[in-house]
Amino acid sequence: MPPARAIAPPDRLLLAATRHTRAPAGALFLASALSGAAALALPAAVGRTLDLLLARDSAGGRWLTLCAVLVAGQVLAEAAEALCSGTAQARATAWLRGRTLARLLDATPRAAARFPPGDTATRLSANATEAGAAPGAAAALAASLIAPVGGLVALALIDPWCALAFAAGLPLLLLLLRAFAAGSSDSVARYQRVQAALASRLAEALTGARSIAAGGTVARDRARVLAPLPELGVQGRRMWRVHGRAVARSTVLLPLLITAVTAVAGLGVVSGRLTVGDLLAISRYAALAAGIGTVASFLGTLIRGRTAARRLGDLLALPPLGSGNRTLPPDGPGTLHLVGVNVALDGAPVLTDVSLTLPGGTTTAVVGRSGSGKSTLAAVAGRLCAPDSGTVLLDGVPLAEIEARELRREVGYAFERPALFGATLGEALASGARRATPAEVVAAARAAGADDFLRLLPDAYDTPPAAAPLSGGEHQRLGLARAFAHAGRLLILDDATSSLDTATERRIEEALSRDVGPGTRLVVAHRLSSAARADLVVWLEAGRVRAVGPHEALWDRPDYRRVFAVTGEAERPRGPEQARGPEEHEVSGASGEAPA
């Protein structure tokens, strides 16, 4: 049996979107069909009316009324068609965005990071809109064939010779549509890829705007951001050339077919085979049959939608992190076990055979040089990353089997560069798997040393994040406050104090042990003092556990002291009291990130 495809086929995704929008898409098809039916009936009615009026038949008035009704019905159907088309596209786009965003958020941060922010934004915005237009375009395309096919059938019923005259040009029209589809598919795919590359470069430049300004590289980075623009222009002009050639050729071909059909009908009138009313009806039906050329616009929308759906499929193919439905034992101490954990990135091992036990209620510091796997261990410990093999258990329950919301309620994180989401700072601190109360937010902010500067802001806790001029250290303290407000049985601090001065860090560590709820703490250590104050130290080296023990016991080992690279003193044995003295030294080699 062949393996399943990694990327969901775009057609399957578009069919799912069509099923989700079947009500407005069905209404769109019905409105288009009614409009086509009215357009089909109108030429015959007009022709019959003309013949009756020329013969001064009293029934001509009734047929004239019927013509007016058909015109009014066609206008109303076209208005409904426009309304249903917009509704179908909006619903399909919203469904595609929601589904894709849900999968993106359900994937591991490392897997999602394969797609640059600008590229991801393009897929979720422009590409989702283009894909969302496909279900409505498919319904409209199906309905749009009613009038041309019906027109051709009507021609055959009125006069077979007229139908044959029109059918003679259909092979050329089909070849034209085929060439249009092939050329559009390739040019649209290239255009969308270049568009995403341009958006990614722009997002990178906006993120690093301060570095660009400080480095005086505005002109160079402007050129770098705009480098894909010429290629975007090339592909855009190519799309228009393909479309223009199709329109130009159909503009020549279809009038020729209508002229040929009208000429054959005129000969029929001269020979007495057809009436004047028949001639009028045939001319109208020939024009309707020529409407088959309009399918190119719907076909172009479907091609763009299918290509865009393929780009959404790349995000939908991200493997979900997954969760179970088990609950944690009540009142668990937060004991964390890692058994034989292995993690690889692009085939290179990041963590190798890591087995650890972090007793409940203790503080464990993770130390090691840059690239030793500290942040990966922190991610695995809280299931922001699934190990390739091995098991992680919290109070005896594998993390992969815990219900997702309970896991996020019980495992809190604070990062080096926290992201604050909410209309106000207070709302940002309260947001989480459960919403913290205002009292809990204030208590957490005090424990993180953030309450004082928050109250100095114009609207204190009600200040919007964008209106708060925060330093790197203040930003980190807000991230800590949010983590403290949601502290469960396991709290993980991934280099979350790197921008704080030593005195502030010490106060926060004291508040963490005194004012934040009981639980297990896993701290990616940035400073020597953090390791010295921990109950236990995990020393990582090249993804493996080099040693585990109290800091004062490990300090006797020269290699351990060299991890901290304390200038001039790394080789001299020190006790725990010396390690936490007033002149504390910052780590210069334990983290790969610079302070904010």
Side-chain angles (χ1 to χ4, degrees):
M1 180 177 178
R5 293 180 62 182
I7 298 178
D11 295 338
R12 188 179 304 168
L13 180 60
L14 293 180
L15 284 174
T18 301
R19 286 194 297 270
H20 183 76
T21 57
R22 57 183 175 272
L28 172 60
F29 177 82
L30 180 61
S32 300
L34 290 175
S35 175
L40 276 174
L42 190 57
V46 170
R48 177 63 175 164
T49 301
L50 180 60
D51 286 339
L52 291 173
L53 291 176
L54 290 174
R56 300 184 182 277
D57 193 318
S58 61
R62 293 194 299 272
W63 279 88
L64 189 61
T65 302
L66 176 61
C67 290
V69 171
L70 289 173
V71 170
Q74 186 175 3
V75 170
L76 292 175
E78 288 176 353
E81 184 180 352
L83 176 63
C84 294
S85 176
T87 303
Q89 180 175 359
R91 289 191 181 180
T93 300
W95 182 81
L96 287 167
R97 282 179 180 156
R99 181 179 176 186
T100 306
L101 183 60
R103 174 54 63 88
L104 184 65
L105 296 177
D106 196 33
T108 65
R110 176 174 293 170
R114 288 174 38 215
F115 300 93
D119 179 76
T120 301
T122 302
R123 293 173 193 258
L124 291 173
S125 55
N127 295 155
T129 301
E130 291 173 323
L141 174 61
S144 71
L145 295 176
I146 293 176
V149 173
L152 187 58
V153 171
L155 284 176
L157 292 175
I158 297 173
D159 185 53
W161 293 106
C162 291
L164 286 174
F166 188 90
L170 286 181
L172 291 176
L173 184 61
L174 294 176
L175 288 174
L176 186 153
L177 292 175
R178 181 180 178 184
F180 170 75
S184 293
S185 181
D186 182 66
S187 61
V188 166
R190 291 175 182 269
Y191 183 89
Q192 290 178 351
R193 284 198 297 269
V194 178
Q195 185 183 44
L198 184 63
S200 297
R201 295 189 183 200
L202 178 59
E204 291 171 359
L206 292 175
T207 302
R210 289 190 300 175
S211 298
I212 292 172
T217 60
V218 174
R220 186 176 66 193
D221 282 283
R222 182 190 297 116
R224 181 183 64 84
V225 170
L226 298 179
L229 201 55
E231 178 64 17
L232 189 71
V234 168
Q235 298 305 327
R237 289 189 293 273
R238 183 183 172 201
M239 283 195 301
W240 281 111
R241 280 198 301 271
V242 171
H243 183 268
R245 281 197 295 266
V247 170
R249 291 168 181 171
S250 64
T251 302
V252 173
L253 177 61
L254 294 175
L256 287 176
L257 291 178
I258 295 174
T259 302
V261 171
T262 305
V264 172
L267 293 175
V269 172
V270 172
S271 65
R273 190 177 74 249
L274 301 172
T275 67
V276 174
D278 289 337
L279 175 62
L280 178 60
I282 286 172
S283 65
R284 292 295 303 149
Y285 282 126
L288 285 177
I292 195 170
T294 62
V295 304
S297 62
F298 298 116
L299 188 60
T301 301
L302 285 174
I303 290 170
R304 289 193 297 274
R306 189 173 186 274
T307 306
R310 185 178 292 111
R311 289 178 55 77
L312 293 179
D314 293 340
L315 295 180
L316 289 169
L318 289 172
L321 186 58
S323 59
N325 54 13
R326 293 184 61 180
T327 58
L328 291 166
D331 302 322
T335 300
L336 186 70
H337 289 283
L338 287 85
V339 183
V341 168
N342 293 277
V343 177
L345 178 61
D346 295 331
V350 180
L351 293 178
T352 304
D353 195 25
V354 173
S355 295
L356 293 169
T357 297
L358 278 60
T362 61
T363 297
T364 300
V366 182
V367 305
R369 297 187 181 278
S370 177
S372 60
K374 302 186 297 299
S375 290
T376 301
L377 177 61
V380 168
R383 196 161 171 76
L384 290 183
C385 170
D388 297 319
S389 62
T391 308
V392 184
L393 304 97
L394 181 60
D395 285 332
V397 182
L399 296 186
E401 299 178 11
I402 302 174
E403 194 272 329
R405 290 192 63 82
E406 178 165 9
L407 178 65
R408 292 304 154 213
R409 281 195 299 268
E410 295 294 342
V411 179
Y413 269 95
F415 301 100
E416 180 188 10
R417 293 182 177 87
L420 302 175
F421 302 107
T424 66
L425 291 173
E427 184 178 324
L429 299 185
S431 65
R434 71 167 185 86
R435 187 172 182 82
T437 65
E440 289 174 330
V441 168
V442 172
R446 287 174 180 165
D451 181 68
D452 291 341
F453 71 78
L454 278 173
R455 295 189 182 278
L456 294 176
L457 294 173
D459 296 309
Y461 285 82
D462 293 329
T463 303
L470 302 175
S471 67
E474 289 170 339
H475 205 74
Q476 277 199 343
R477 276 183 272 175
L478 290 179
L480 288 165
R482 182 176 58 191
F484 293 171
H486 300 88
R489 63 185 76 195
L490 177 61
L491 181 60
I492 300 172
L493 308 183
D494 187 0
D495 215 8
T497 60
S498 59
S499 294
L500 305 182
D501 59 83
T502 304
T504 301
E505 183 185 24
R506 183 184 302 172
R507 288 196 300 271
I508 290 175
E509 287 175 347
E510 292 172 353
L512 178 61
S513 61
R514 182 182 65 248
D515 302 327
V516 181
T520 305
R521 282 83 161 102
L522 179 64
V523 181
V524 174
H526 178 71
R527 291 175 174 143
L528 176 62
S529 58
S530 299
R533 293 190 183 97
D535 300 306
L536 199 65
V537 174
V538 175
W539 174 16
L540 289 181
E541 189 172 278
R544 295 179 179 272
V545 177
R546 175 78 179 270
V548 179
H551 169 77
E552 49 267 36
L554 297 176
W555 189 254
D556 291 333
R557 304 173 64 166
D559 287 350
Y560 177 76
R561 296 198 298 272
R562 278 194 288 271
V563 167
F564 296 96
V566 181
T567 305
E569 300 187 52
E571 297 299 331
R572 192 166 66 249
R574 303 178 61 181
E577 294 304 319
Q578 292 173 293
R580 63 185 76 176
E583 296 295 327
E584 296 182 1
H585 299 272
E586 294 190 10
V587 180
S588 62
S591 173
E593 302 289 348

